[in-house]
Amino acid sequence: MKHLDRTRFSPLVVTLSRGGYWVREIRRLSIDVIELTRRKSYEIRRLMMLTRILNQTRPHIVHGFQMPGNLYAVLSSLLSRKGKVLSSYRSFDPVRTTLQPFQEFKRLLAYGLAKRVVCNSETLDADLSGRYPHLAKSVVIHNGIEMPIKAEAASISRLKENLNLPAHCPIVGTVGRFVPIKNQTLFLEIAERVLKDRPDTMFLVVGGGPLEKALKKRASDLGITQHVVFTGQRPDVQDLLQLFDVFVLTTSNGNGTGEGFPNVIMEAMLNGIPCVATDRGGLSELVTDGRNGFLVAPSQIQVFADKTVTLLGDPDLRSVMGNDANKRILEKFTVERMVAKFEGLYCSMLQ
């Protein structure tokens, strides 16, 4: 929304619950935000409120964002007869055989009644097409990212001191919420093996969430507590990334799909950090194995460790891979490129 051409498009945001970080940020862009009150995930009351909003504002496009937003978008548009619906598919749905009939029905409505469905990776597009081959209306628009503001060297030095990190130690890091799909337990198991070859390494785990206590216990059980820093949730992730020599992403879920297109690895690549990541989800659309990072199966813990040790021991390789990673993001995944594609999609839906 920040980069949307406001001479051609007039955005209005409706949230299905009140509060949240992004409400404030969106309003700072002089974009109106209407906040609905949430009592449970699916409510007739909220559906009727959204329908009234569409009747009053008469939008041309109704852009749903994930479930349940997609379902509210298609139903309110149908009831009000206002707007053409763009649904989104940005993370893997559960395996169809595990869905209850009502859950499957909701998804059939959300994707089937939409004029188009936007996916943020080719992998997700293939998954959606495999689930619902009759749709034939999906389009891929990869996520885009803004250029970071680099912190000064003195600020980075102070950051190291505040985190009690040795001045010249190699640092391996990861960023993400402490939830099952992020699989930070694997990160800790990799750390334990890396330390056998590089005992001077420190590991930064940036984020927070419901699994924090369990992850700290796992670090203790592995005997690596002195080498692992849990930073908690931080507003200065861009600065923290500048501390990393290697970025490790261990995302993987129970059905083996991983994430659709994780922004955090884009941020690492834009900062010129070589990545070792799970070969799952849309990561292969970002990381070219052996060129700007390494892709490894989640079960291959030792391979993960070996690739990390290789990068830590070869500054020239880190530099070459990091430069290629930065170049790939700047060429293919800028926010300007993403917004231009969305603007083109909006226009095509109105023709």
Side-chain angles (χ1 to χ4, degrees):
M1 284 179 286
K2 180 179 178 182
H3 297 272
L4 198 66
D5 184 350
R6 302 287 282 277
T7 65
R8 299 168 62 205
F9 302 95
S10 180
L12 167 69
V13 175
V14 181
T15 66
L16 295 176
S17 60
R18 290 187 171 275
Y21 171 82
W22 290 111
V23 170
R24 182 176 65 253
E25 294 300 308
I26 292 169
R27 283 179 173 148
R28 285 178 179 171
L29 300 175
S30 299
I31 296 173
D32 289 336
V33 180
I34 299 174
E35 300 174 79
L36 303 183
T37 302
R38 180 185 187 276
R39 294 172 184 164
K40 53 185 178 180
S41 292
Y42 297 96
E43 305 171 79
I44 297 296
R45 176 188 61 86
R46 273 192 302 171
L47 175 60
M48 299 315 297
M49 291 175 68
L50 183 56
T51 302
R52 277 199 302 273
I53 291 169
L54 297 193
N55 275 320
Q56 292 166 359
T57 58
R58 305 174 67 86
H60 297 95
I61 301 288
V62 181
H63 187 161
F65 194 83
Q66 289 291 73
M67 295 291 284
N70 291 331
L71 186 60
Y72 277 97
V74 296
L75 293 179
S76 60
S77 177
L78 184 67
L79 290 170
S80 65
R81 298 185 180 181
K82 302 294 188 301
K84 296 180 180 180
V85 176
L86 174 63
S87 287
S88 59
Y89 189 61
R90 299 177 58 83
S91 60
F92 291 94
D93 276 347
V95 177
R96 291 187 72 180
T97 54
T98 68
L99 291 172
Q100 297 297 322
F102 182 56
Q103 292 176 310
E104 178 72 355
F105 180 63
K106 288 186 293 187
R107 285 164 171 78
L108 284 170
L109 289 177
Y111 305 131
L113 294 179
K115 183 173 178 66
R116 302 298 295 272
V117 180
V118 62
C119 304
N120 63 349
S121 73
E122 300 285 352
T123 309
L124 280 170
D125 183 49
D127 181 70
L128 184 66
S129 299
R131 289 168 180 265
Y132 311 109
H134 62 284
L135 289 180
K137 60 174 73 173
S138 59
V139 60
V140 176
I141 300 179
H142 289 107
N143 295 347
I145 188 170
E146 289 187 283
M147 283 294 294
I149 299 173
K150 294 274 190 180
E152 296 180 359
S155 175
I156 295 301
S157 178
R158 286 194 300 272
L159 192 55
K160 270 193 170 185
E161 290 178 12
N162 292 338
L163 293 170
N164 294 317
L165 294 169
H168 303 293
C169 68
I171 296 175
V172 177
T174 192
V175 180
R177 272 183 52 75
F178 297 163
V179 292
I181 192 172
K182 299 298 185 180
N183 200 17
Q184 286 100 342
T185 298
L186 175 58
F187 178 82
L188 297 175
E189 292 169 352
I190 294 166
E192 188 258 345
R193 298 194 184 199
V194 169
L195 286 166
K196 292 176 182 178
D197 287 291
R198 293 297 302 261
D200 56 337
T201 307
M202 294 295 294
F203 297 84
L204 286 189
V205 187
V206 182
L211 297 182
E212 182 169 354
K213 184 176 180 180
L215 289 170
K216 289 181 176 179
K217 183 179 184 304
R218 183 59 179 152
S220 177
D221 292 343
L222 289 169
I224 60 174
T225 302
Q226 298 302 315
H227 292 269
V228 179
V229 177
F230 289 89
T231 70
Q233 294 185 8
R234 303 273 301 215
D236 56 348
V237 171
Q238 286 296 334
D239 292 346
L240 289 170
L241 284 172
Q242 293 181 57
L243 301 179
F244 294 8
D245 294 296
V246 179
F247 185 96
V248 173
L249 189 68
T250 50
T251 178
S252 177
N253 58 15
N255 60 19
T257 52
E259 292 184 273
F261 204 76
N263 283 350
V264 67
I265 203 162
M266 296 169 64
E267 294 173 356
M269 293 174 71
L270 186 59
N271 277 278
I273 307 167
C275 302
V276 186
T278 47
D279 188 11
R280 292 293 183 271
L283 283 167
S284 62
E285 296 166 48
L286 282 164
V287 178
T288 303
D289 186 42
R291 180 171 175 177
N292 51 36
F294 295 109
L295 294 173
V296 184
S299 59
Q300 297 180 311
I301 303 176
Q302 189 58 51
V303 176
F304 251 113
D306 291 344
K307 298 297 186 184
T308 303
V309 169
T310 295
L311 286 168
L312 290 176
D314 193 337
D316 291 338
L317 179 62
R318 290 204 308 271
S319 177
V320 169
M321 283 192 165
N323 288 336
D324 191 272
N326 172 266
K327 181 181 177 181
R328 178 156 176 77
I329 298 300
L330 291 177
E331 288 180 352
K332 299 290 186 181
F333 302 107
T334 63
V335 69
E336 292 82 7
R337 185 184 180 95
M338 177 191 72
V339 171
K341 289 186 175 183
F342 267 110
E343 290 178 344
L345 176 59
Y346 293 154
C347 290
S348 72
M349 289 175 65
L350 297 175
Q351 292 176 356

